[in-house]
Amino acid sequence: MTTDASKAPAPAPSPARHFIHDLIDADIKANRWGLGTDLATREGICIHTRFPPEPNGYLHVGHAKSICLNFAIAQAYKGKFNLRFDDTNPSKEDQEYVDAIKDDVRWLLSAFNAGDYETGPHAGGIFWASDYFQFMFDRAVELVKKGKAYVCQLTGDEVSKRRGTPSVPATSPFRDRSITESLTLLEEMRAGKHQNGAMTLRAKIDLASPNFNLRDPVLYRIVHESHHNTGSTWCIYPMYDWAHGFEDSLEKITHSICTLEFENHRPLYDWFIAAVNEGRTDDGSGPYGKKIHHPQQIEFAKLRPTYTVLSKRNLLRMVQDATVRGWDDPRMPTIRGLRRRGYTPESLRTFVESVGVTKVESSIDVGRMENALREHLNKAAPRAMGVLNPLKVVIENWPEGKVDNLDFVINPEDPAAGKRTVPFTREIYIERDDFMEVPTPKFHRLAPGAEVRLRWAYFLTCTSVIKNAAGEITELRATIDPATRGGDSPTGPDGQPTKKVKGTIHWVSAQHSFPAEVRLFDRLFTAEEPGLRTGNWLDDLNPKSLTTVTARLEAALKDAPIGQRYQLERLGYFIVDQDTKPGAMVLNRIVTLKDDLAAAAKGEKKPANIRMYSLAEAAHELKIKQDKLLAVITHGGPSDFATREKKELTLDEVRKLKEWVKANPLPR
RNA sequence: UGGGGAUUGGUGUAACGGUAGCACGACUGACUCUGACUCAGUUAGUCUAGGUUCAAAUCCUAGAUCCCCAGCCA
């Protein structure tokens, strides 16, 4: 029982080509940056990616996509991958986050079996934007000298007011001040002679640009604050746009992959590097020296899972409000939360790779994340038995005190995992849900007089039901068929089983099993897109996202170490939580097994291919106004719509209406 | 109002002028000592309107819708 799920082979990820591969292939073909086409023997520059988090929060599943994407590219092209902390804003950043990020990235990258950012063939290393502060400052001075930057003494409010509109240019009265004056003020800024906000260094680009990022963006702002890495060396800090390209450039990053919202920043990214390179030469001759490396920024759509919020602000809010028990609460979409929940790095990797890489902003069914996890754990997790809601069964034809040690298959998916021994006794517990006093037609588990198989043990027939004064079932009496030891029906002369049972249920020995706290998690939100309905994402919080029960687990689990994963048969996958103390085990349910029956019974199983439209959505789809839509439905429309008062329409109905509207154009 | 992106089954994603394919989901069924897993089958799509072409998801024109941008955040 020591098989560690995380050591089992990961499901082979599909090669999954995407548009970034096309771009990189083109760069290689064009011998851009001297990449050459034979990557294995490249000298100097190679395909080099990076993951650049700001250490101002915990990583979440969205970041996991970026990390895997960047690392997978480095691996595919025999290149390198850097972890770089984009620590340019001391007022928001903290060492606590630095440590957590390092640890989470390393954990996730273990899914690649190719080392991480510090070890292995693709290890580029760990870097800090703050190590480049001097370089950035020198380049800023250079820009001022080239007449491409100036010190602006407008306050933040004034800058906002003068920002202009798409058709009205921005203004700054300091734009045309002399180079010497700007140089002096810049030195003063650096020397700490000015208060926060007193002035900034701005690039001189285009105050009338329709792209606001180019309306003389700020390069440096004054922040009198200690930095976790550089201490009090600096009191001016570079802005993201100014800093990021240089970070990439200095690390010889070839492809700087970021999310869609930075698309509008790419002209600026390119402008800054071009501005520095102006006057520079390939061989270093001339006043400014050698050209600096110019990486290619590429944007992709971030991951947006349903039933989830990912913004740092909202996650922080839940932690502060104690909606959850911290950043590593198993319900959180943070990497730390998912780790504690029991997710494997392999399953996270297959999940983020399976959703693809595009520029289309789409949301992903969280169910896919759960499926990737089931897929991995099915192959990897040893099986065990536990009962979440115990119901005692006394086997009347089993002698008191007799113990039968039975063989159990540890993992049917993995014969190498072998077998284990489980004791069978006169008193056992079964799952309360596996018994119905008055069974429904399709219920093929235990009922009075019915026979089921106890997994790997004996066929069991319920003989009587014992209730308390309140009429609640407290105990069952039953008998077993001794001829079915091991769970197999005896075979007749023809070699066929002499009897069949439809149901197999799990059980534990009352005497040998032990109680444990089991935490059952549900989604944190009840709406696919939290906040869509009311405008406030908190309105969609799921009040029942955590349920705690006292279960009974088979004895073999008693010494399971923290972090060990199991499949409790028929119930789901579970992991030993870090809250476990000697003699007091705590289990997290990672995810349930798929259960068509339960889903259908709870009415949760609405066919996914019947999309429901609200009237507003349908009206939008039909490109008509909502009141017109109502008129169409109740008066003019297809006859079978005339009498309905439903507030929702199915996809098919919307299609029907669409056809109708097409054939019967509405007046204006 | 200006600029930058995007639009293919229910969902996600291919097709790079030449048979609209794959995965997930859903639905049927088979198998089963986990109502799991596995296997087989079914289902369903190119935002709209024009145009070019022997041929258009792909090229052209016009439009629609959604997302991003006016932090001294990243």
Side-chain angles (χ1 to χ4, degrees), chain A residues 114 228 284 333 461 521:
Chain A
H228 73 101
T461 307
F521 305 108

Side-chain angles (χ1 to χ4, degrees), chain A residues 55 85-90 93-95 98 128 130 225-231 237:
Chain A
F85 288 98
D86 203 5
D87 54 349
T88 56
N89 187 354
E93 296 152 11
D94 198 287
Q95 185 65 35
V98 170
W128 307 86
S130 49
E225 203 150 341
S226 174
H227 185 280
H228 73 101
N229 192 24
T230 59
Y237 291 91

Side-chain angles (χ1 to χ4, degrees), chain A residues 113-129:
Chain A
N113 293 313
D116 52 42
Y117 48 90
E118 286 184 317
T119 62
H122 312 297
I126 177 164
F127 298 89
W128 307 86

Side-chain angles (χ1 to χ4, degrees), chain A residues 500-526:
Chain A
K500 279 189 174 170
V501 289
K502 273 203 222 146
T504 300
I505 65 173
H506 56 276
W507 57 276
V508 295
S509 155
Q511 179 192 339
H512 297 84
S513 64
F514 66 98
E517 175 181 336
V518 178
R519 298 175 182 163
L520 309 172
F521 305 108
D522 198 356
R523 291 169 182 165
L524 259 178
F525 296 91
T526 53

Side-chain angles (χ1 to χ4, degrees), chain A residues 17-33 35-37 39 47 73 76-77 255 298:
Chain A
R17 271 193 66 87
H18 47 72
F19 79 101
I20 298 180
H21 291 284
D22 295 339
L23 296 174
I24 294 177
D25 288 347
D27 287 338
I28 291 170
K29 201 170 174 191
N31 197 26
R32 193 171 176 187
W33 309 292
L35 278 168
T37 49
L39 292 168
I47 298 298
I73 286 173
Y77 291 93
H255 300 273
I298 300 171

